[in-house]
Amino acid sequence: WGRCRAACPTPASPRSRRGVGRGAGLALLGLVPGAPSCPHGPTLLFVKTSQGREAGRRFYACSACRDRKDCSFFQWEDEKVSGTRLAAREECNRNHQPSFTHRQNVERYKNFVLLPLSKRRFCQECQQLLLPAEWEKHLDHQFLSDISTAQLKSPSQLLHPLENKKTNAQYLFADRSCQFLLDLIVDLGFRQVLSVGTPRLHEMIQSKASQEEDFRVRSLLLDIDFRYSQFYTEDEFCHYNMFNHYFFGGEAAHEKCRKFLYQDNGERVIMVTDPPFGGLVEALASSFKKLMAMWKETAKEGHNNEEMPMFWIFPYFFESRILEFFPSFSMMDYQVDYDNHALYKHGKTGRRQSPVRIFTNLTPSMIVLPVEEGYRFCTICQRYVSSGNQHCEICNSCTSKDGRRWKHCVLCKKCVKPSWFHCSSCNCCALQNHTCGKADAGCFVCGKAGHKRSTCPSLSRT
């Protein structure tokens, strides 16, 4: 039940779905009415593609897991499923549900905090708070003792992050980035934070709210990691799949989210989301638009033509895909870093810098980046940029995406990475030691040159 976080920014492997062969791409057709469900909620409809065209039967597969080893659900769209198989599927879905409901976990937490420190135990293998009556069942397991109140207020540090690099890798904001985001939210005057897949930001807000009387910011965490239900009430956490906009708690949880957005007539609400980097952008965008629609429904009439303010935290090389679905968004230069990722850490240079950025529909000039960390304000672009991101007079923009100073190519009519050089044979800029003509054959999915199938921006495009 951990949040699926892909370790690399490639879409789902075609061979991870039965019936999809080597060398083919996948196109996401989306969430359709009447779609069958797996343990992660309604499935998504896919189709095999060849050179950008549909080339196979449509099929349903899990929305959250990229590999069938993690969720084995598969069904052809036109397949007739027997009653026996449907019953077995429903039984499987029930068996994959958590041991306790959210409400039961809330009651268990109330009993847990009443225990003396010496009787507070946390099973590291089951990732579960233990009451004394349950100790015997966990005798062979490793556990932590003397769980303090501070530990209970920081569950993201108590729980093991999911780090299977093939399928699940749960990266958590470093304190530097988390504190920056919270300071920015407060400075911009927001009071309600819809935290979609950002448990560390949520717990920082919860902690400050419990310690400081004058701290007015509140947060609601939406996350697929059900383990957090052990630490938060139903007003603070909703079990949610951001790939299919599915509330596991049903209409009651949906209403909790709606009520949260409705406070103060929808004023001063912002959504902050940190999705899995390997997730399909259009599936995420569809869910985020539905959350925005919920906000519009609850907000007063003056918001009819506005978008819910949002920070979407994602790698910079997905910029074109995000702007395709949210044209009002722009990308900030701030580098978001993570505690438990070897590369995405602050202070690294060159290509080892974190590629994770903040995409937002707020006016760029409003996003003040810390000067002490190497950011400056460009008066021409009217936004804060990395100190190495120099303004190009020809492009009339600060063009760098990765923090390094890019250079303008007159022949390509755009700025390119400093390590690229114009190749007369390929008639475009590329690495100096590239093989000429290699990209001319084009991507197998879209047919365009300059990239491989595995990193095709249009892979999974509807």
Side-chain angles (χ1 to χ4, degrees), residues 21-209:
R22 183 191 297 271
L26 291 180
L28 171 65
L29 301 178
L31 184 65
V32 297
S37 293
C38 70
H40 303 92
T43 56
L44 299 180
L45 186 63
F46 294 86
V47 66
K48 186 176 80 170
T49 62
S50 176
Q51 291 291 343
R53 299 183 298 274
E54 290 189 14
R57 291 167 70 185
R58 300 181 179 195
F59 61 92
Y60 294 104
C62 178
S63 62
C65 300
R66 302 191 312 160
D67 198 311
R68 291 194 64 223
K69 293 178 181 177
D70 300 296
C71 183
S72 61
F73 187 96
F74 183 95
Q75 180 185 315
W76 295 113
E77 182 188 27
D78 55 3
E79 182 180 358
K80 291 184 179 179
V81 183
S82 68
T84 303
R85 188 176 163 197
L86 283 174
R89 178 183 295 168
E90 290 175 4
E91 179 67 20
C92 174
N93 289 349
R94 282 194 296 269
N95 291 339
H96 279 83
Q97 297 308 306
S99 302
F100 300 101
T101 66
H102 192 170
R103 186 159 297 177
Q104 288 172 328
N105 273 337
V106 171
E107 291 301 317
R108 286 168 51 80
Y109 182 85
K110 290 178 181 178
N111 292 328
F112 188 88
V113 295
L114 294 175
L115 296 170
L117 198 63
S118 61
K119 291 190 176 182
R120 291 184 184 179
R121 292 186 180 181
F122 176 77
C123 179
Q124 291 182 293
E125 293 187 36
C126 300
Q127 294 286 280
Q128 182 181 315
L129 297 173
L130 299 179
L131 298 174
E134 301 163 345
W135 289 359
E136 190 174 349
K137 296 179 182 178
H138 301 261
L139 286 177
D140 297 333
H141 297 175
Q142 291 186 334
F143 59 86
L144 295 175
S145 301
D146 303 335
I147 303 300
S148 66
T149 302
Q151 286 175 296
L152 293 173
K153 298 295 183 183
S154 303
S156 70
Q157 298 183 37
L158 186 62
L159 298 168
H160 286 315
L162 302 163
E163 295 181 323
N164 181 333
K165 293 186 181 298
K166 276 193 173 182
T167 53
N168 303 310
Q170 198 174 43
Y171 301 134
L172 302 166
F173 291 145
D175 286 342
R176 161 191 164 269
S177 289
C178 201
Q179 189 64 58
F180 166 76
L181 285 168
L182 181 53
D183 290 344
L184 183 59
I185 288 166
V186 172
D187 291 344
L188 291 171
F190 293 108
R191 292 295 177 264
Q192 305 288 120
V193 182
L194 188 63
S195 304
V196 185
T198 57
R200 185 151 287 180
L201 176 64
H202 174 73
E203 72 182 36
M204 181 176 282
I205 293 173
Q206 294 289 102
S207 179
K208 288 182 73 70

Side-chain angles (χ1 to χ4, degrees), residues 194-333:
L194 188 63
S195 304
V196 185
T198 57
R200 185 151 287 180
L201 176 64
H202 174 73
E203 72 182 36
M204 181 176 282
I205 293 173
Q206 294 289 102
S207 179
K208 288 182 73 70
S210 64
Q211 295 173 11
E212 303 174 18
E213 286 187 14
D214 59 344
F215 186 76
R216 302 301 180 189
V217 180
R218 296 295 179 267
S219 172
L220 173 64
L221 176 63
L222 307 185
D223 204 295
I224 201 171
D225 191 343
F226 190 70
R227 297 177 300 173
Y228 285 104
S229 69
Q230 298 178 87
F231 305 92
Y232 299 123
T233 68
E234 292 163 298
D235 291 325
E236 299 167 335
F237 170 77
C238 290
H239 192 199
Y240 176 77
N241 183 348
M242 71 175 78
F243 288 103
N244 57 7
H245 186 60
Y246 181 66
F247 287 87
F248 292 87
E251 185 56 35
H254 191 276
E255 189 57 33
K256 290 286 185 184
C257 183
R258 188 191 305 275
K259 183 179 178 182
F260 179 82
L261 295 175
Y262 181 73
Q263 294 182 50
D264 297 325
N265 291 321
E267 293 281 359
R268 299 186 295 179
V269 177
I270 186 170
M271 174 163 57
V272 183
T273 180
D274 182 32
F277 301 152
L280 300 175
V281 174
E282 51 268 67
L284 294 167
S286 175
S287 295
F288 298 156
K289 285 183 177 181
K290 289 174 182 175
L291 289 171
M292 286 179 163
M294 284 177 63
W295 172 78
K296 271 194 174 183
E297 291 170 6
T298 58
K300 61 183 181 181
E301 293 181 3
H303 289 164
N304 287 344
N305 298 319
E306 295 179 19
E307 281 185 335
M308 178 183 181
M310 180 176 173
F311 290 156
W312 181 341
I313 296 162
F314 224 50
Y316 69 80
F317 33 78
F318 282 101
E319 181 182 19
S320 63
R321 298 290 285 128
I322 292 177
L323 296 184
E324 181 182 339
F325 295 99
F326 294 102
S328 63
F329 279 34
S330 53
M331 186 181 80
M332 303 295 99
D333 273 21

Side-chain angles (χ1 to χ4, degrees), residues 392-407:
C392 175
E393 295 182 359
I394 302 173
C395 296
N396 193 30
S397 174
C398 292
T399 54
S400 173
K401 307 293 183 186
D402 60 9
R404 297 177 293 171
R405 182 172 184 172
W406 285 20
K407 59 185 181 181

